Amino acid sequence: MAYDHGAFRVKNLEEAIRFYTEKLGFTVLFQVGSEEFGERGVFLEYNGARLELIEKIGVPYEPVRPEPPYCPHLCFETDDMDAVIRILHENHIEILDGPNEIPDSEQWIYFMDPDMNVLEYIVWMSREKSGGN
């Protein structure tokens, strides 16, 4: 078994694609749609991580502001939290929580997309604790 992708629901697919590509650096892999299932979507990729965004056709969607512990969320590893914070500020992306830190272990920050889907960046301070080599 292998991990394939995560998925978020969005109100407007085009606006969501612009957010992820222009502000976070994702690239579009391909778009999908199905009248039968009443959905249209897109698969995005960033550094090997894939994300699917799905818009229900003709069904209004009003997201709810997330609360701690901010689940579900999608997490991306970084090695430069200062750069992440700078990019979020430059793109007027609200930080929900953080940066938080467990000394000698990890540092993380939560933020959200325009549809209030929660994303996280994490810095692992010790490769042994992250399970990496």
Side-chain angles (χ1 to χ4, degrees), residues 53-69:
L53 303 176
I54 302 170
E55 177 186 357
K56 291 291 287 179
I57 299 170
V59 178
Y61 176 55
E62 290 303 320
V64 177
R65 186 169 178 84
E67 299 177 349

Side-chain angles (χ1 to χ4, degrees), residues 45-49 77:
E45 187 268 340
Y46 183 82
N47 202 24
E77 185 177 355

Side-chain angles (χ1 to χ4, degrees), residues 119-130:
L119 299 126
E120 175 186 9
Y121 277 106
I122 193 164
V123 173
W124 293 106
M125 298 168 166
S126 169
R127 295 308 300 170
E128 294 87 32
K129 293 179 179 152
S130 73

Side-chain angles (χ1 to χ4, degrees), residues 20-72:
Y20 281 92
T21 58
E22 295 175 10
K23 295 186 178 201
L24 298 182
F26 280 76
T27 57
V28 173
L29 293 176
F30 58 91
Q31 293 196 23
V32 294
S34 171
E35 294 279 331
E36 177 184 352
F37 293 108
E39 300 175 348
R40 60 192 199 105
V42 64
F43 277 82
L44 306 171
E45 187 268 340
Y46 183 82
N47 202 24
R50 296 193 312 174
L51 173 64
E52 181 182 17
L53 303 176
I54 302 170
E55 177 186 357
K56 291 291 287 179
I57 299 170
V59 178
Y61 176 55
E62 290 303 320
V64 177
R65 186 169 178 84
E67 299 177 349
Y70 304 116
C71 292

